[in-house]
Amino acid sequence: MADSQLYVYNTLKREREVFVPLHPPFVSMYVCGPTVYGNAHLGHARPYITFDVVCRYLMYLGYKVRYVRNITDVGHLENDADVGEDKIAKKARLDKVEPMEIVQRYTLDFHKNMALLNNRSPSIEPCASGHIIEQIQMIEKILAHGYAYLSQGSVYFDVQRFEKDYPYGELSGRVTEDLQHNTRELDGQSEKHNPLDFALWKKASPEHIMHWPSPWSDGFPGWHIECSAMSAKYLGETFDIHGGGMDLLFPHHECEIAQSLGANGISPVRYWMHNNMLTINGQKMGKSLNNFITLDELFSGNHPLLEKAYSPMALRFSMLQAHYRNPIDFSNKGLEDAEKAYEKLSAVYVLLKEMNWAGTTVNTEIEKVLSSFEKECVDAMNDDINTAVVISNMFKVSSYVNQFYSSGKTEGVSKEAFEKFKNAYLLFYRDILGLLPDQQMERSNEDFDKLVDSLVDLRNSAKKEKNFTLADALRNVLSQFVTLQDLADKTIWKHEKKK
Ligand code: ZN
């Protein structure tokens, strides 16, 4: 464990708090997953990268993280409402396939894109349709406690009744009187005693194809209950971290709190963490605005708003360059800048990985900057996961690494400080920020190594054949790029000169 403490901003309490898990060294974390009715898109990048880094950092601190991220494959209706068509069923109807074919297709697409972004897989990835029984059991508890009612075969959460015992709206800061005022009467809401009430179970209409038997009707769960039921099942009635985008604060996360309190009498989450939103050229992303960009489109450049293709790592980097609680406005210029910055830090990673200490003097300034690198990165991460500061620390040290590389010596730093710094840079770049080295750069390095090997072999053959003119010519060429050393039985070479 690091000696300093991790602080995180708790959305519910509206303040930074020291993070102390309920059962150390274990950390339980739940993040709302995607509704799989379309291709993974830009909006998916930010929350899943954010909480991937949170998970990676907790692991670095020595915690054993159980990270649960669900797949919503039923119950999420159009416009996030309690009436209307199920998003998955609608897509299935339009594509003339089974709903589960839609789920399969887009779950695979989601996984593929998460892997490209180098997000680690969650420990458990439960789907809503696989947990109907748990959801029914939770609804039964809420009903038994009097916080829900049955209406024409559907079950609704009774917000007014709940408010007599518990606060409602604390997380999102919404006051029920204001909500009352702003809620339009929608079709089907007549089933509700109050427009604020939300569906726990919906009776399926005859045309609704995804339905299950329940004590109340053949129907399907409301959108919010799956997260409450599945987080309680896999993480316990109270768990450490619940993450998601700010857009889920209301109603989704507010309803999760109410359901858990209604069923179990305990607040489910100790630290609520929310990432801020991603806008596109200042606007919210949406299909109606023609600014909806899938990850496939981003990585291929195949979208009218894109000037070129951007790599998954450029996207990941652009997300981590900002603090997760700050908004990000997506633009070609922004991504291009992020891509260039990523390539610079990636080059430092690739160089540093192969670099060994070789120096004679210690320069106080260089020694100080490199020795404090790890602590500064840890401090930044402990300050509510400030990846932006980690990245700026990486830039601060990059000039030293480039200087070491071009001079072929790590002059100015002690062996101990260099090794500590090298390990810290590799760790923060690869394991904590989850950045992969630029593939092109790695490939060109591999190709280069192969070329050097072949030229060294050729030179040795020339020597054997006593063709010293050729052997010397090859030595001169190679020496411009690498350092050669002839041993009794073979020649070794090192990447010490600039390529
Ligand atoms: Zn959720």
Side-chain angles (χ1 to χ4, degrees):
M1 298 265 170
D3 45 8
S4 46
Q5 285 175 307
L6 167 62
Y7 282 79
V8 293
Y9 183 85
N10 189 340
T11 321
L12 182 64
K13 299 191 180 161
R14 288 170 181 70
E15 63 183 21
R16 281 158 41 107
E17 284 187 306
V18 178
F19 177 76
V20 185
L22 196 55
H23 304 293
F26 302 98
V27 171
S28 43
M29 177 164 100
Y30 188 90
V31 174
C32 290
T35 303
V36 281
Y37 70 109
N39 289 97
H41 55 77
L42 255 187
H44 289 129
R46 195 163 191 197
Y48 304 130
I49 291 171
T50 298
F51 292 101
D52 179 57
V53 171
V54 171
C55 179
R56 286 166 177 272
Y57 187 61
L58 290 167
M59 285 164 57
Y60 161 78
L61 292 179
Y63 292 117
K64 299 190 185 325
V65 186
R66 183 182 288 172
Y67 171 18
V68 179
R69 186 182 67 204
N70 66 306
I71 292 280
T72 298
D73 59 355
V74 66
H76 196 171
L77 306 187
E78 287 179 286
N79 308 316
D80 300 347
D82 279 344
V83 286
E85 204 169 356
D86 182 291
K87 292 187 183 195
I88 286 154
K90 181 181 179 183
K91 180 73 176 147
R93 177 173 61 77
L94 295 174
D95 288 8
K96 300 192 171 60
V97 296
E98 277 290 312
M100 282 302 139
E101 286 183 78
I102 295 296
V103 168
Q104 180 75 8
R105 183 190 300 166
Y106 294 116
T107 301
L108 290 176
D109 176 80
F110 178 71
H111 286 161
K112 178 196 80 183
N113 281 295
M114 290 301 107
L116 286 172
L117 289 171
N118 202 29
N119 285 336
R120 295 168 51 92
S121 296
S123 329
I124 306 176
E125 195 171 43
C127 59
S129 69
H131 296 76
I132 299 291
I133 292 169
E134 289 81 354
Q135 296 179 72
I136 290 176
Q137 285 169 343
M138 191 164 197
I139 298 168
E140 283 178 324
K141 278 199 202 169
I142 299 171
L143 273 166
H145 295 157
Y147 300 118
Y149 56 87
L150 185 62
S151 175
Q152 298 172 44
S154 295
V155 182
Y156 291 97
F157 193 90
D158 188 338
V159 173
Q160 266 186 332
R161 172 65 192 86
F162 175 78
E163 268 202 303
K164 287 185 184 147
D165 298 335
Y166 300 104
Y168 181 78
E170 261 193 340
L171 180 70
S172 57
R174 302 204 185 193
V175 181
T176 41
E177 281 150 37
D178 297 346
L179 285 171
Q180 201 86 282
H181 213 70
N182 294 326
T183 313
R184 282 181 300 132
E185 274 292 337
L186 294 168
D187 282 347
Q189 287 207 338
S190 52
E191 285 184 4
K192 296 182 184 178
H193 294 173
N194 188 309
L196 283 183
D197 297 346
F198 56 90
L200 297 173
W201 186 264
K202 287 281 288 179
K203 181 184 175 175
S205 52
E207 69 276 10
H208 202 103
I209 43 180
M210 297 165 86
H211 55 86
W212 291 263
S214 81
W216 317 290
S217 60
D218 261 19
F220 54 93
W223 172 36
H224 316 300
I225 192 76
E226 64 171 280
C227 288
S228 296
M230 298 192 295
S231 60
K233 172 165 176 152
Y234 296 111
L235 301 174
E237 288 178 1
T238 301
F239 54 96
D240 293 312
I241 297 174
H242 192 315
M246 266 174 51
D247 53 334
L248 294 178
L249 274 171
F250 190 89
H252 188 57
H253 291 163
E254 202 71 76
C255 295
E256 280 189 41
I257 296 177
Q259 290 166 156
S260 295
L261 280 167
N264 307 320
I266 320 171
S267 197
V269 176
R270 302 176 70 240
Y271 303 90
W272 280 98
M273 293 176 74
H274 289 92
N275 62 276
N276 210 314
M277 302 315 291
L278 179 76
T279 51
I280 298 189
N281 299 319
Q283 281 183 306
K284 211 183 145 189
M285 191 169 95
K287 286 200 166 127
S288 55
L289 294 167
N290 292 324
N291 66 358
F292 188 88
I293 304 175
T294 68
L295 292 176
D296 284 347
E297 287 165 343
L298 186 82
F299 302 152
S300 65
N302 185 20
H303 189 285
L305 283 180
L306 298 172
E307 284 164 14
K308 65 188 229 22
Y310 299 97
S311 70
M313 282 304 113
L315 177 63
R316 185 174 182 100
F317 191 89
S318 76
M319 300 285 136
L320 297 177
Q321 256 186 328
H323 187 265
Y324 76 93
R325 291 199 298 115
N326 288 337
I328 294 181
D329 188 42
F330 170 92
S331 64
N332 280 285
K333 168 88 174 66
L335 254 191
E336 230 164 275
D337 290 348
E339 188 167 57
K340 283 187 196 129
Y342 157 70
E343 280 166 6
K344 274 188 197 155
L345 293 190
S346 176
V348 171
Y349 173 86
V350 172
L351 295 179
L352 200 51
K353 210 166 73 165
E354 300 299 326
M355 199 179 279
N356 291 312
W357 179 81
T360 48
T361 55
V362 171
N363 170 305
T364 5
E365 177 60 24
I366 302 178
E367 181 84 357
K368 196 176 125 212
V369 172
L370 297 190
S371 321
S372 55
F373 173 79
E374 182 170 18
K375 185 176 183 303
E376 283 179 16
C377 291
V378 168
D379 286 348
M381 290 301 281
N382 280 342
D383 182 11
D384 194 21
I385 316 291
N386 201 334
T387 54
V389 171
V390 172
I391 287 176
S392 72
N393 286 340
M394 288 180 161
F395 274 109
K396 209 163 74 182
V397 296
S398 64
S399 59
Y400 294 115
V401 177
N402 289 324
Q403 192 183 308
F404 294 156
Y405 182 68
S406 32
S407 68
K409 280 194 227 137
T410 60
E411 206 56 77
V413 60
S414 67
K415 187 167 197 261
E416 192 199 351
F418 174 78
E419 278 167 4
K420 191 167 161 269
F421 156 70
K422 174 180 167 175
N423 290 337
Y425 189 98
L426 300 183
L427 183 108
F428 269 86
Y429 179 92
R430 180 192 56 210
D431 298 335
I432 296 177
L433 298 185
L435 293 166
L436 297 169
D438 190 7
Q439 284 173 347
Q440 218 143 10
M441 208 175 294
E442 280 225 311
R443 205 174 309 127
S444 68
N445 262 18
E446 268 172 37
D447 291 348
F448 175 81
D449 291 359
K450 273 188 214 151
L451 182 66
V452 172
D453 285 339
S454 319
L455 291 175
V456 167
D457 287 347
L458 189 61
R459 173 170 166 261
N460 286 340
S461 311
K463 280 207 291 191
K464 257 186 220 152
E465 289 159 16
K466 310 223 182 285
N467 185 347
F468 296 112
T469 321
L470 178 60
D472 288 346
L474 284 167
R475 178 175 189 100
N476 289 342
V477 171
L478 283 162
S479 302
Q480 289 176 39
F481 301 96
V482 296
T483 306
L484 291 174
Q485 197 184 345
D486 290 318
L487 304 178
D489 53 338
K490 63 178 177 185
T491 303
I492 54 169
W493 61 269
K494 279 197 255 174
H495 274 286
E496 278 186 45
K497 298 234 171 124
K498 196 179 175 87
K499 283 189 268 240

